[in-house]
């Protein structure tokens, strides 16, 4: 409740994809309320020792960052 999605993107080497291109692609593939409020490019995502994405670290890092979006 009260949360809105943001999209964290790790670009592949030599990729020049833009947030506008990603948003355009998503608009034709997902429901409007699933569209992220922000698209953030990051160097890497944190992982657990078993290789799973460490979602708790991401929630802590970005909690409140886009609260008024």
């Amino acid at each position: 409740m009260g949360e809105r999605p943001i999209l964290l993107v790790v670009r592949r080497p030599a990729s020049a994809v833009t947030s506008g291109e990603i948003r355009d692609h998503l608009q034709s593939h997902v429901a409007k309320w699933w569209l992220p409020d922000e698209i953030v490019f990051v160097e890497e995502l944190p992982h657990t020792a078993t290789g799973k994405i460490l979602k708790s670290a991401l929630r802590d890092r970005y909690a409140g960052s886009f609260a008024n979006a």
Side-chain angles (χ1 to χ4, degrees):
M1 293 285 222
E3 293 183 346
R4 292 289 306 145
I6 65 169
L7 176 62
L8 301 174
V9 177
V10 179
R11 286 187 180 124
R12 291 185 177 178
S15 174
V17 68
T18 66
S19 58
E21 292 170 333
I22 293 171
R23 189 172 304 280
D24 289 345
H25 175 76
L26 290 175
Q27 284 179 342
S28 62
H29 288 85
V30 300
K32 184 177 180 179
W33 57 88
W34 282 5
L35 291 174
D37 289 344
E38 296 290 332
I39 298 174
V40 179
F41 292 96
V42 296
E43 293 296 318
E44 63 183 2
L45 297 173
H47 290 85
T48 66
T50 59
K52 293 182 179 182
I53 294 175
L54 194 55
K55 291 185 265 183
S56 61
L58 295 172
R59 284 187 190 106
D60 292 343
R61 184 180 302 165
Y62 293 98
S65 295
F66 307 101
N68 296 323

